[in-house]
């Protein structure tokens, strides 16, 4: 079962000139996957790095390739093993790295790449949280094991990852200092 949608994709590695809005067939979600109607998508450096072929050892050389990692939207369908989400849920998160596809009308991704979108958070703002939020979390919590009462300095605190790092550090009970350019 598949449905026809449109997305930004490319048929060879290169610059912005290789991107096209084209129709594509999206398969039904697998057992641990979720089909999401994309409401908003965010652009991150990983998107142009993938398009330029900088990650082709990981992603392969099969074309066409979709654009976009971060998005927010509404669940359209869930795989048989999905337990955290149901049709109609508002979510945000990441597309699968090899497949990408957030810069499209719909995307299939893994259940564990998604989070429930709080009602107080707009779809536009939620779409911006995936890559920066995970990057900041991995650095501060998973790697540095930040604890309440510690002090942390965020270099580049006004960028996407920096802003997420500041918020995660504050929520963790740390004292935060930072720097940013003019």
């Amino acid at each position: 079962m598949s449905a026809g949608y449109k997305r930004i994709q490319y048929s060879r590695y290169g610059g912005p000139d290789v991107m096209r809005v084209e129709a594509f067939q999206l398969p039904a979600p697998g057992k641990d996957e979720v089909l999401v109607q994309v409401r908003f998508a965010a652009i991150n450096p990983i998107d142009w790095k993938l398009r330029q072929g900088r990650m082709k050892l990981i992603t392969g050389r099969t074309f066409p390739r979709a654009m976009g990692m971060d998005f927010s939207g509404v669940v359209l369908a869930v795989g048989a093993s999905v337990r955290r989400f149901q049709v109609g849920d508002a979510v945000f998160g990441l597309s699968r790295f090899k497949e990408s596809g957030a810069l499209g009308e719909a995307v299939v991704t893994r259940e564990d790449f998604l989070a429930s979108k709080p009602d107080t958070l707009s779809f536009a703002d939620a779409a911006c949280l995936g890559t920066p939020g995970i990057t900041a979390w991995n650095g501060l919590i998973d790697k540095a094991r930040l604890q309440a009462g510690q002090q942390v300095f965020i270099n580049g605190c006004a960028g996407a990852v920096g802003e997420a790092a500041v918020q995660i550090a504050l929520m963790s009970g740390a004292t935060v200092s930072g720097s940013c350019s003019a």
Side-chain angles (χ1 to χ4, degrees):
M1 173 187 183
S2 64
Y5 297 98
K6 289 185 179 180
R7 69 180 179 193
I8 297 176
Q9 58 188 27
Y10 52 99
S11 294
R12 63 182 169 85
Y13 292 120
D17 58 306
V18 302
M19 298 185 303
R20 303 280 183 270
V21 175
E22 297 176 334
F24 74 105
Q25 292 299 113
L26 191 61
K31 66 178 185 164
D32 64 345
E33 295 177 329
V34 178
L35 170 64
V36 179
Q37 177 187 27
V38 176
R39 293 277 180 94
F40 280 86
I43 297 174
N44 287 293
I46 189 65
D47 298 319
W48 62 261
K49 290 175 183 175
L50 290 169
R51 187 197 64 231
Q52 287 182 341
R54 293 187 182 188
M55 310 282 183
K56 62 185 158 198
L57 288 176
I58 298 169
T59 61
R61 299 173 187 258
T62 304
F63 295 100
R65 299 196 53 76
M67 292 283 302
M69 292 294 296
D70 296 1
F71 66 92
S72 64
V74 176
V75 174
L76 294 176
V78 297
S81 299
V82 172
R83 299 290 175 248
R84 292 178 36 234
F85 303 105
Q86 58 187 350
V87 173
D89 285 350
V91 296
F92 69 97
L94 302 172
S95 63
R96 297 170 297 183
F97 187 77
K98 274 183 92 167
E99 293 83 3
S100 298
L103 297 179
E105 294 175 324
V107 64
V108 172
T109 193
R110 292 175 31 173
E111 176 183 21
D112 59 348
F113 286 9
L114 295 172
S116 295
K117 185 190 79 62
D119 292 337
T120 57
L121 186 64
S122 73
F123 281 100
D125 289 342
C128 300
L129 294 176
T131 297
I134 289 171
T135 302
W137 185 273
N138 284 343
L140 290 174
I141 306 302
D142 294 341
K143 301 288 184 207
R145 308 243 188 260
L146 184 65
Q147 304 279 322
Q150 289 183 313
Q151 295 181 16
V152 63
F153 180 82
I154 309 293
N155 187 27
C157 65
V161 175
E163 287 182 6
V166 167
Q167 295 304 312
I168 290 168
L170 289 172
M171 288 176 13
S172 298
T175 300
V176 180
S177 300
S179 69
C180 62
S181 63

